[in-house]
Amino acid sequence: RLEVKFHDIGEGMTEGEILSYFVEIGDKISVDQPLLEVQTDKMVAEIPSPAAGKIKAIHFKPGDIIKVGETIIEIEDGKNQKAPTQEKKLTKKNNKESKRINNLPKRYNGILATPYTRKIARELGVDIEKIEGTGRAGRVTEDDVYAFIKKQNHPQIDTEEKVHQINTSDKINVKTIPFKGIRKQIAKNLTRSVRTIPHVTHFDEMDITNLQAYRKELKAIGVNISIVAFFLKALVKALKDHPIFNAELDEEQESIRLHRAYYIGLATDTDEGLLDPVLRDVDNKSEREIDNGMKQMTEKAQQGKLTVKEMQGGTFTISNVGPLGGTWATPIINHPQTGIMAFHKSKRIPVVMENDEIAIRKVMNISLSFDHRVADGADAVRFANRFIELIEEPKRLFIELI
């Protein structure tokens, strides 16, 4: 039998959570077929099969936390296990060489690569065995895959030759800052989202005059609640009416998962970069509780005190960039979610009312990016219209929450 263990998938983590299995005991599998999906503190990764065979045992269930090195699945590959005898012979010949080989990371099909890198290669139609790895111990990295494709498309370009052609004198006037840590992880996550999800952005505007007036009434009696807390309350109601936007696409299972929980990600600007803490169970919270929860999450994000759990499980994300300014944007979806909504700067403008009179109203622009594989443009318009309707008539929002 062949054991499929949980290895370090390239992010330096020590444990992960099993999200779901793509196979069951008794299933026949092929080489490189995805077996399960694991959530680490930085990414979701698939673990592929190292060999063809039959699933004989599964040692953990979805939701379990596994440590690096633990056996997850056992596969009957129909081969006699002679490796131990061969290793003993090798030890007699050269004990030092044997230890070096045994200490190398596990290889699938003789190629060392993370599951995520293998997934990228599969999706781009690249034979990973033809790629020369530049990582530690010959590991094939994500950059190696893209470099291989670039070289295949432009074989006449010699990378080393191009590097030597750079005018080194220009480097004197260039300041270099490290590209690592949170900044590098943000880049990976956003790049993955853009390459995986066909983004479409719907732009709209909403009149927040009535809502602002209601907030002033609350302030007069000593209740100060941010406008974004009302946005979240209206958002959850709109998501309940249009559940396709509180969902995620599972391509392997060919299904769309509609979440019954409403965990809203709060895109937060920090000194270290963009973080996305998650406010859980927003549907069960009052506006005051939402407001307090957002303040706590934002403060923890800016102080770098967020836990892994507080950044996981989001079903939809918002981005409040209004205080910074700006008119429109095309926000990038937090994979594997289906949508993200951005709130932009509000301004006072003349508006023609229903009675044809002109009034000065406070109007805010919104941008809704969504996964076009999951939802269509008409769905996005209806979803945005429902959200706007609740914001423009706050009394309607409160009545419908009763």
Side-chain angles (χ1 to χ4, degrees), residues 99-356:
K99 288 182 179 179
R100 187 189 69 81
I101 293 174
N102 289 334
N103 286 333
L104 286 176
K106 295 285 184 178
R107 294 175 179 264
Y108 297 155
N109 298 346
I111 300 298
L112 193 64
T114 67
Y116 179 53
T117 301
R118 289 176 173 275
K119 181 180 179 181
I120 290 176
R122 286 198 307 272
E123 291 176 347
L124 297 177
V126 175
D127 184 354
I128 200 168
E129 295 187 6
K130 295 181 179 179
I131 301 175
E132 182 178 351
T134 60
R136 187 179 63 181
R139 181 191 296 270
V140 176
T141 67
E142 181 182 345
D143 292 337
D144 292 334
V145 176
Y146 294 121
F148 179 81
I149 294 174
K150 186 176 181 180
K151 192 172 182 180
Q152 291 294 104
N153 293 336
H154 305 282
Q156 73 278 10
I157 297 178
D158 189 320
T159 305
E160 291 186 8
E161 206 171 292
K162 286 196 70 178
V163 171
H164 288 303
Q165 290 174 359
I166 297 176
N167 187 350
T168 55
S169 63
D170 291 341
K171 295 182 179 180
I172 299 175
N173 298 319
V174 175
K175 178 183 177 181
T176 301
I177 59 175
F179 181 62
K180 59 182 181 180
I182 293 177
R183 183 76 264 159
K184 187 174 182 179
Q185 192 58 42
I186 291 171
K188 286 185 177 181
N189 292 342
L190 295 181
T191 301
R192 178 189 185 192
S193 178
V194 171
R195 285 179 177 152
T196 304
I197 299 174
H199 283 61
V200 177
T201 303
H202 169 68
F203 302 111
D204 216 323
E205 60 183 22
M206 58 186 182
D207 186 339
I208 62 172
T209 307
N210 294 340
L211 182 56
Q212 289 286 49
Y214 178 68
R215 290 183 63 231
K216 286 183 179 180
E217 293 177 11
L218 292 178
K219 285 183 180 180
I221 59 174
V223 179
N224 189 6
I225 299 177
S226 71
I227 193 170
V228 182
F230 294 98
F231 289 171
L232 260 64
K233 205 64 178 175
L235 177 65
V236 167
K237 177 58 180 171
L239 287 172
K240 287 185 176 181
D241 294 341
H242 301 273
I244 198 64
F245 291 95
N246 198 53
E248 67 178 83
L249 174 64
D250 186 336
E251 290 187 275
E252 295 293 340
Q253 296 295 324
E254 297 184 340
S255 64
I256 298 173
R257 301 172 185 169
L258 303 179
H259 296 294
R260 295 179 179 176
Y262 297 89
Y263 293 176
I264 307 302
L266 310 171
T268 305
D269 179 35
T270 74
D271 292 338
E272 298 297 324
L274 180 67
L275 296 179
D276 192 29
V278 176
L279 187 63
R280 296 170 177 263
D281 300 315
V282 177
D283 56 323
N284 296 324
K285 289 179 167 62
S286 66
E287 283 82 356
R288 190 193 295 272
E289 290 173 329
I290 293 173
D291 189 47
N292 291 335
M294 288 193 302
K295 289 177 181 176
Q296 292 172 4
M297 285 296 183
T298 300
E299 185 177 342
K300 293 183 72 173
Q302 292 173 342
Q303 294 176 351
K305 296 181 178 179
L306 288 171
T307 65
V308 173
K309 185 177 180 180
E310 289 171 334
M311 296 183 66
Q312 291 180 338
T315 60
F316 191 93
T317 297
I318 66 160
S319 177
N320 181 30
V321 294
L324 298 176
T327 305
W328 306 105
T330 54
I332 297 176
I333 299 167
N334 189 3
H335 184 277
Q337 296 172 20
T338 294
I340 178 172
M341 183 178 289
F343 308 119
H344 304 286
K345 180 178 64 176
S346 60
K347 56 185 177 181
R348 293 168 59 82
I349 61 173
V351 176
V352 178
M353 308 300 288
E354 290 185 2
N355 58 3
D356 290 337

